[in-house]
Structures are given as structure tokens and as C-alpha cells.
């Protein structure tokens, strides 16, 4: 059991920092705040097993999780699992454990993922969450994506959070749970905030919230585009992701980012990730997002929605991102 425990938080896309901090404060009082306590509950309390293609999801309702609708919760977990299968071609880890903690409220709450004693997530669910709240949830798929890749040193947290931020909506779109417009609306709204500001250097070691999540997501979008262009669309980022997942077995392993990039490049057969990582990690790298979105045929409207232009130069590539294979 390694001493270092990387804590991967789902605070990116929709939580303001104030809300995230308030939730973090509330969590401090939780009986399962310590990851060892979370694992003890997962190993000792009763669970139900959901068989998925390629693995299983073991669900433990913490202390019975009184007040939550178990049928809705199980349907939501299966749906998230199906998004993972669409993206990875199978459930990405053999055994995933999920601790569901009931809390007052109408939404899915805060979640944290660990790997040192096996891929596992602790997630809070509001006792008044309804089917719409579960359908709108992005947190669970985000956490599941974290389990697919090996754990990394703290300096590379931006790679992990950026990866989950980028892959989560794409996986849900591939499974028919989001539209292509949903995916790009979020990217257009989020990615500019992750661009380097005056004084920012390379991404390694960054603690800035927007840099971690959306700056990291931009790295993975650029990797996606480069892989597709270099292979004339024969390979996409998902092929690199599947390779990294299969080689590592998921987040119970700890790798270096350099190992991870090498495994991804080996899976696609083109050297993209290693060089792109080296540049983003150590130097200030900006991205001309307006030009990139324009080439992809993503046109922002003033009201925050997007229009997709299938006549754009890289429309073929954009469409392929959300099509399962
Ligand atoms: Zn995360």
C-alpha cells in the first residue's frame, strides 16, 4: 500500500469554487472521509454486484444509505458503466467498487476516487435526487474515467483531471446519453478558461483549478486532433486510451506520465502524446481555440449554445469523436 494517495476530485465542470469548498468542508465530518475507512466499508458492508462487459461494479450503500431510491441509483450506475464500455470497448477495470453515501439534497454530490487498494469511488447522492438529476449527472462517469488510467505523480494531476474532463462527455455522447452539441458547448464554454495567464509556465505542478481541468482537457483535445490527422482518421484518442488502460490495468497501478504517453503512442502507432506532454508539462503552451473550433465546425452562438457546421475543414474529425467504434 503506497503512502502517497492521489485524491482525484470531481469539482471541475459545474461547481463554482465556493460551492466546491463548502462541500469539501461538509465532507470533513463524514465517517468515510479517510480512504481507509472507505475501503473498510467497501470490503465489510454488504454490496450488490452489477455485471458489465469486461468487469463488475460492486455497489455498497453506506450504512444502508437510508432514504435514497436504490432502483434509480442502480439504473444511473449502469448507464454510466455503459458510457465507459462505449468508449473503452469494455468496462475498463476488472472490479470497480462504489460507496454510495446518502446526504440531504436533490442532486448527485461530491465524489472522490482512489486506487491504492483497488479502483474505488466514494460518491454522495441526495435523498431527493430524481431521474432527471441522475440523467444530468456527469460526476460518476468522470470518476470512472479516472479509474481507467494508472495513478500519476502529483505534478501530473492536470493530465488526470484534464483527461476525465475531456473524456466524460465524449463517452456519454458515444453511448447516446449526450448530443454532439452538448459536448462542444461545454468545450467552448470551459476550455478558454484553462489557457495560460500572464506568469503561467508549464502545466506540471499547477494548482489553478481551471488550468487543471480545462487546460488539461485542451491538451487531450489537441492530442485527439493530432492522432486523427496523423493517421487519416484510422486512430483516435480512444485507441490510445484503450492501450494505456490495457497496459496498466487502471488506477491501482502507479506510473510516470512519460510511461503513460509512451503506452498511448504505442497503441496508435504515431508519436504524438510524448512530445505534446513534454511541451505542455514544461513550457507555456497556448492554444488558438477560436481557430481550432472553427476548423472543427463548432460555431458558438451568443446565447452560449453551439451550431455544428458539417462543411468545415475538420468536420469529419469532429463527428468521429462522438461516434462509437
Ligand atoms: Zn476528477
Amino acid at each position: 500500500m503506497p503512502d502517497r494517495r492521489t485524491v482525484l476530485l470531481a469539482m471541475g465542470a459545474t461547481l463554482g469554487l465556493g460551492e466546491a469548498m463548502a462541500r469539501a468542508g461538509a465532507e470533513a465530518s463524514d465517517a468515510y472521509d479517510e480512504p481507509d475507512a472507505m475501503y473498510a466499508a467497501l470490503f465489510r458492508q454488504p454490496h450488490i454486484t452489477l455485471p458489465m462487459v469486461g468487469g463488475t461494479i460492486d455497489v455498497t450503500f453506506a450504512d444502508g444509505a437510508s432514504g435514497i431510491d436504490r432502483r434509480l441509483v442502480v439504473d444511473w450506475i449502469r448507464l454510466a458503466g455503459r458510457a465507459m464500455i462505449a468508449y473503452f470497448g469494455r468496462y475498463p477495470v476488472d472490479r470497480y467498487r462504489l460507496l454510495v453515501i446518502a446526504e440531504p439534497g436533490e442532486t448527485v454530490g461530491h465524489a472522490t476516487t482512489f486506487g491504492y487498494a483497488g479502483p474505488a469511488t466514494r460518491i454522495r447522492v441526495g435523498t431527493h435526487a430524481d431521474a432527471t438529476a441522475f440523467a444530468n449527472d456527469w460526476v460518476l462517469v468522470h470518476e470512472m474515467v479516472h479509474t481507467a488510467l494508472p495513478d500519476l505523480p502529483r505534478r501530473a494531476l492536470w493530465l488526470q483531471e484534464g483527461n476525465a474532463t475531456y473524456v466524460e462527455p465524449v463517452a456519454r455522447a458515444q453511448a447516446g446519453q449526450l448530443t454532439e452539441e452538448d459536448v462542444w458547448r461545454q468545450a467552448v464554454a470551459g476550455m478558454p478558461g484553462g489557457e495560460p495567464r500572464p506568469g503561467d509556465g508549464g502545466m506540471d505542478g499547477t494548482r489553478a483549478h481551471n488550468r487543471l481541468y480545462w487546460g488539461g482537457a485542451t491538451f487531450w483535445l489537441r492530442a485527439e486532433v493530432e492522432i486523427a490527422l496523423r493517421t487519416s482518421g484510422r486512430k483516435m484518442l480512444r485507441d490510445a486510451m484503450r492501450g494505456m488502460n490495457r497496459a496498466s490495468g487502471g488506477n491501482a497501478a502507479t506510473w510516470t506520465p512519460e510511461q503513460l504517453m509512451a503506452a498511448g503512442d504505442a497503441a496508435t502507432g504515431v508519436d504524438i502524446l510524448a512530445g505534446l506532454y513534454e511541451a505542455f508539462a514544461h513550457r507555456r503552451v497556448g492554444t488558438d481555440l477560436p481557430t481550432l473550433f472553427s476548423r472543427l465546425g463548432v460555431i458558438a452562438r451568443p446565447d452560449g449554445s453551439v451550431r455544428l457546421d458539417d462543411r468545415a475543414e475538420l468536420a469529419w474529425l469532429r463527428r468521429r469523436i462522438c461516434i462509437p467504434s
Side-chain angles (χ1 to χ4, degrees):
M1 191 180 294
D3 289 327
R4 189 185 54 78
R5 292 166 191 165
T6 301
V7 178
L8 299 167
L9 301 174
M11 302 201 292
T14 58
L15 290 188
L17 259 187
E19 187 182 359
M21 288 168 70
R23 290 194 185 186
E27 189 178 35
S29 63
D30 187 81
Y32 302 106
D33 191 42
E34 282 299 315
D36 286 348
M38 176 200 72
Y39 278 117
L42 290 169
F43 294 143
R44 292 174 196 156
Q45 293 188 26
H47 66 267
I48 57 170
T49 294
L50 309 180
M52 308 297 297
V53 174
T56 60
I57 302 175
D58 285 356
V59 183
T60 298
F61 293 95
D63 304 309
S66 162
I68 69 167
D69 185 329
R70 287 195 180 200
R71 185 184 54 83
L72 284 179
V73 167
V74 167
D75 287 350
W76 160 65
I77 295 167
R78 283 210 176 94
L79 207 61
R82 284 204 284 274
M84 296 298 283
I85 291 166
Y87 193 85
F88 286 95
R90 47 159 280 187
Y91 199 79
V93 295
D94 296 338
R95 190 171 191 184
Y96 175 57
R97 293 182 172 90
L98 190 57
L99 186 67
V100 175
I101 301 171
E103 68 174 5
E106 299 173 350
T107 60
V108 174
H110 190 72
T112 311
T113 289
F114 300 90
Y116 69 91
T121 295
R122 174 186 67 207
I123 194 162
R124 294 164 163 272
V125 174
T127 49
H128 291 93
D130 61 11
T132 304
F134 288 116
N136 289 336
D137 171 61
W138 58 273
V139 173
L140 182 54
V141 174
H142 176 105
E143 297 303 316
M144 287 178 170
V145 173
H146 279 316
T147 70
L149 298 187
D151 204 357
L152 299 175
R154 185 78 184 172
R155 66 183 162 93
L157 185 61
W158 64 273
L159 266 185
Q160 295 171 290
E161 293 303 349
N163 185 259
T165 301
Y166 178 73
V167 171
E168 169 263 319
V170 170
R172 290 168 68 203
Q174 288 185 4
Q177 299 168 15
L178 288 182
T179 65
E180 206 188 351
E181 283 84 357
D182 292 330
V183 172
W184 294 105
R185 179 174 43 76
Q186 292 181 33
V188 165
M191 285 179 182
E195 283 299 291
R197 294 184 181 176
D200 281 343
M203 292 282 272
D204 261 21
T206 190
R207 290 285 184 276
H209 183 268
N210 268 338
R211 293 278 274 158
L212 285 173
Y213 287 81
W214 284 110
T218 299
F219 166 86
W220 291 101
L221 171 62
R222 287 187 55 173
E224 176 101 275
V225 170
E226 290 300 318
I227 290 167
L229 286 177
R230 193 84 79 79
T231 62
S232 304
R234 282 177 291 104
K235 299 289 183 184
M236 301 295 289
L237 179 64
R238 77 198 65 163
D239 298 296
M241 288 288 292
R242 290 175 187 187
M244 295 186 283
N245 170 249
R246 309 287 150 83
S248 64
N251 74 331
T254 299
W255 281 15
T256 65
E258 290 80 8
Q259 275 179 290
L260 186 67
M261 299 297 110
D265 283 340
T268 59
V270 285
D271 290 331
I272 300 292
L273 290 168
L276 198 59
Y277 167 76
E278 178 65 23
F280 266 74
H282 304 301
R283 299 194 290 279
R284 174 196 179 89
V285 177
T287 298
D288 182 355
L289 288 166
T291 298
L292 180 56
F293 288 135
S294 170
R295 291 175 74 203
L296 291 166
V298 178
I299 294 120
R301 292 194 180 105
D303 67 355
S305 67
V306 297
R307 180 173 66 80
L308 301 180
D309 176 7
D310 280 347
R311 295 163 308 171
E313 174 198 357
L314 299 182
W316 63 271
L317 194 163
R318 186 205 72 233
R319 283 197 303 269
R320 195 162 301 188
I321 290 171
C322 290
I323 295 171
S325 61

